[in-house]
Amino acid sequence: MNEFAPLLAQTVASRRESIVGFLRDLIAETRHGEAAVLRAIAKASADMGCRVEWVEYDPQAVPMVEEFAAEEAMTPGLRQCVVARIGTPGAGRSLLFFGHPDSEPLSRLDEWRHDPFKGEISGDRIHGWGVADDLAGVAIYTQAIALLKACGLQPKGDVILVSTPSKRHARGVSALLHQGLTADAAIYLHPAESGLGMKEIKAFASGQLEFRIRVEGTAPPTSEPLQTAFAHLAVNPVAKAFQVFEALMRLDERRGAQLHHPLLHQAVGRSTNLMVSTMNCDPTDSLSRVRSECWLGGAISFAPPEPMAQVMRQVEETLAALGQDDPWFREHPPQLQWESGVTGAEVSSEHPLYRALAGAIEQVTGHVPQVNPMHTSSDIRNPMVQKAIPTVGLGPLCGDLSQNGQTDEWVDVEDYLSAVAVVATTIVDWCGVEPFKAGQKV
């Protein structure tokens, strides 16, 4: 039992209003944009005695390690991060916390039942734009330091609080890692969409690839505007696309039979999937004309430690093989376009970081957490894949925009408060603590 755990829990209860109030302040700032949220985070961190640094970077200039995205998928322009430090480098183990202050673009605000910028509390939920994705995560690690200070404590080892853009391939934490940011371990704080909240730890993330495939066709030799009677003389790209689909499904069956990860099999009975999620043709209006092309799109999930390049090669070989027996595909091969890709990563439940966080959760909530292996392409992968820093994640119960019909985003208040106590307890266990020195920035 952590000797400070009871004190931390009691102090969370007495500071409930201010801990929730900080989250409400961040929600209010979303009306004014990402920069306003970052300024609020920077001020709160400085007020707690942290050393605060602003870092500017270009997402398109960040080196890609086992990851890629089409340039058009990234929002162009320079972005900013706030990096706050407290503790003494080398005096204890270091710990990096990160979350993202950027939310989805504001839309459909008139459909909300709760004011999206007031942090209204209804029942056990606090509502607000971005609260579940990911203002609560940023608030948790900020308030954990405030909690330690309120208890007269500060970390011995270096604690690094990183608020960095993530959405639309903003890649802020990767930018900082490639600029030299490092730590002995990292924790990604983000509310949990799984419905389990603080009963789970994100210690496993499958990789994911997204793709599109263009399939060509050709119209029949006729000048007639309606081509149905000549259809047998055409090469219908819809029919050829189904051949591509069937080949991909055969690859999916082979991969599903060959690959096995115990966590994924226990959860869903399968360790990898190749899903074709969309099919569309050129925008000809007539239903009596052969299309010139058809597109398929989809995604592939794959478990660590399978290399991303191996999965890509299997898809490429599958498409190339279509030309061996099909003259049309030999002359007009399917055109594969990779849209984005990330590699998976995993931390063992026996790792000291996992044990420290799991122990803190059990002390604070009374629950023994479980590993949720279903967070495909989770940001916990970034420090692990980019710089081999062991990383896990956790967060309170939530309902984000995708789960709530794009309105009334929420986070469970009690779970949020528990997360603050859990993070403070983990800092005590991992980094060690010493008496807080008033007026001294450490």
Side-chain angles (χ1 to χ4, degrees):
M1 168 69 77
N2 184 313
E3 64 177 306
F4 294 105
L7 173 62
L8 293 170
Q10 293 167 10
T11 308
V12 165
S14 65
R15 290 177 56 82
R16 179 189 183 98
E17 185 174 340
S18 65
I19 294 172
V20 175
F22 180 71
L23 180 54
R24 298 184 74 184
D25 290 344
L26 294 186
I27 292 169
E29 293 297 340
T30 59
R31 183 195 297 272
H32 308 295
E34 180 182 318
V37 176
L38 283 170
R39 286 194 296 270
I41 295 165
K43 182 181 184 304
S45 300
D47 289 346
M48 295 186 302
C50 296
R51 306 184 304 274
V52 177
E53 177 186 9
W54 287 80
V55 179
E56 189 174 73
Y57 74 100
D58 181 356
Q60 295 180 342
V62 178
M64 297 242 182
V65 178
E66 290 295 322
E67 176 182 353
F68 68 90
E71 188 171 307
E72 57 270 20
M74 299 183 183
T75 301
L78 298 176
R79 305 295 289 273
Q80 287 187 309
C81 309
V82 169
V83 181
R85 293 178 179 268
I86 192 166
T88 305
R93 290 185 294 190
S94 57
L95 189 55
L96 165 67
F97 292 97
F98 64 104
H100 65 86
D102 53 331
S103 58
E104 295 294 339
L106 300 179
S107 65
R108 298 172 58 176
L109 300 181
D110 58 333
E111 299 178 24
W112 281 55
R113 292 170 298 172
H114 303 274
D115 190 314
F117 305 113
K118 286 189 176 179
E120 292 183 359
I121 296 177
S122 176
D124 54 2
R125 298 174 176 182
I126 181 169
H127 296 266
W129 193 274
V131 66
D133 190 22
D134 173 34
L135 296 181
V138 174
I140 288 165
Y141 56 67
T142 306
Q143 289 303 294
I145 298 298
L147 175 62
L148 289 173
K149 180 180 177 182
C151 292
L153 303 170
Q154 64 186 20
K156 281 185 180 178
D158 198 16
V159 174
I160 311 152
L161 313 176
V162 172
S163 302
T164 173
S166 172
K167 287 190 168 296
R168 293 169 291 283
H169 303 283
R171 309 186 67 246
V173 71
S174 294
L176 294 172
L177 291 167
H178 285 287
Q179 290 178 23
L181 181 70
T182 190
D184 293 319
I187 296 178
Y188 176 46
L189 288 169
H190 194 294
E193 302 95 337
S194 62
L196 294 177
M198 295 298 293
K199 295 179 181 178
E200 70 172 28
I201 292 176
K202 300 171 187 174
F204 178 98
S206 288
Q208 176 156 288
L209 286 157
E210 294 186 338
F211 63 87
R212 296 184 191 275
I213 302 170
R214 178 176 178 265
V215 181
E216 293 181 61
T218 186
T222 180
S223 59
E224 290 284 349
L226 303 181
Q227 300 174 345
T228 310
F230 304 88
H232 63 293
L233 302 176
V235 177
N236 189 334
V238 176
K240 305 308 288 184
F242 273 106
Q243 288 181 243
V244 173
F245 173 82
E246 290 168 353
L248 292 175
M249 291 302 96
R250 290 193 293 271
L251 172 61
D252 180 49
E253 290 176 7
R254 291 196 301 273
R255 287 179 49 80
Q258 294 168 356
L259 301 173
H260 182 277
H261 192 288
L263 285 177
L264 286 169
H265 263 70
Q266 181 179 0
V268 293
R270 191 176 170 107
S271 296
T272 180
N273 275 297
L274 191 164
M275 177 182 67
V276 175
S277 59
T278 185
M279 181 184 292
N280 61 282
C281 298
D282 66 77
T284 303
D285 288 333
S286 175
L287 297 178
S288 299
R289 295 185 66 82
V290 174
R291 301 300 203 263
S292 63
E293 64 182 24
C294 188
W295 287 81
L296 299 93
I300 308 168
S301 64
F302 56 100
E306 185 178 20
M308 182 170 63
Q310 175 176 293
V311 186
M312 297 171 72
R313 186 169 57 252
Q314 290 177 355
V315 175
E316 292 160 1
E317 291 172 350
T318 295
L319 297 180
L322 288 168
Q324 295 176 2
D325 302 317
D326 188 306
W328 177 260
F329 280 136
R330 193 174 306 128
E331 297 298 324
H332 306 83
Q335 298 170 33
L336 172 63
Q337 178 179 318
W338 292 110
E339 295 287 319
S340 65
V342 296
T343 296
E346 180 178 14
V347 168
S348 166
S349 59
E350 298 303 314
H351 192 280
L353 173 64
Y354 183 95
R355 293 203 304 268
L357 185 58
I361 291 172
E362 186 174 3
Q363 288 180 67
V364 171
T365 70
H367 299 293
V368 177
Q370 66 184 54
V371 175
N372 186 338
M374 304 312 301
H375 291 280
T376 301
S377 71
S378 168
D379 279 4
I380 65 168
R381 74 186 190 279
N382 286 315
M384 289 192 273
V385 173
Q386 305 291 320
K387 293 296 178 180
I389 299 172
T391 306
V392 295
L394 84 157
L397 186 66
C398 77
D400 66 16
L401 290 175
S402 66
Q403 298 168 306
N404 267 25
Q406 303 303 309
T407 65
D408 294 296
E409 190 174 351
W410 62 270
V411 161
D412 184 274
V413 174
E414 296 305 321
D415 244 16
Y416 164 67
L417 293 166
S418 292
V420 172
V422 164
V423 168
T425 303
T426 303
I427 292 171
V428 171
D429 286 340
W430 186 263
C431 304
V433 288
E434 60 187 0
F436 184 81
K437 301 168 186 174
Q440 179 180 348
K441 293 205 173 188
V442 293

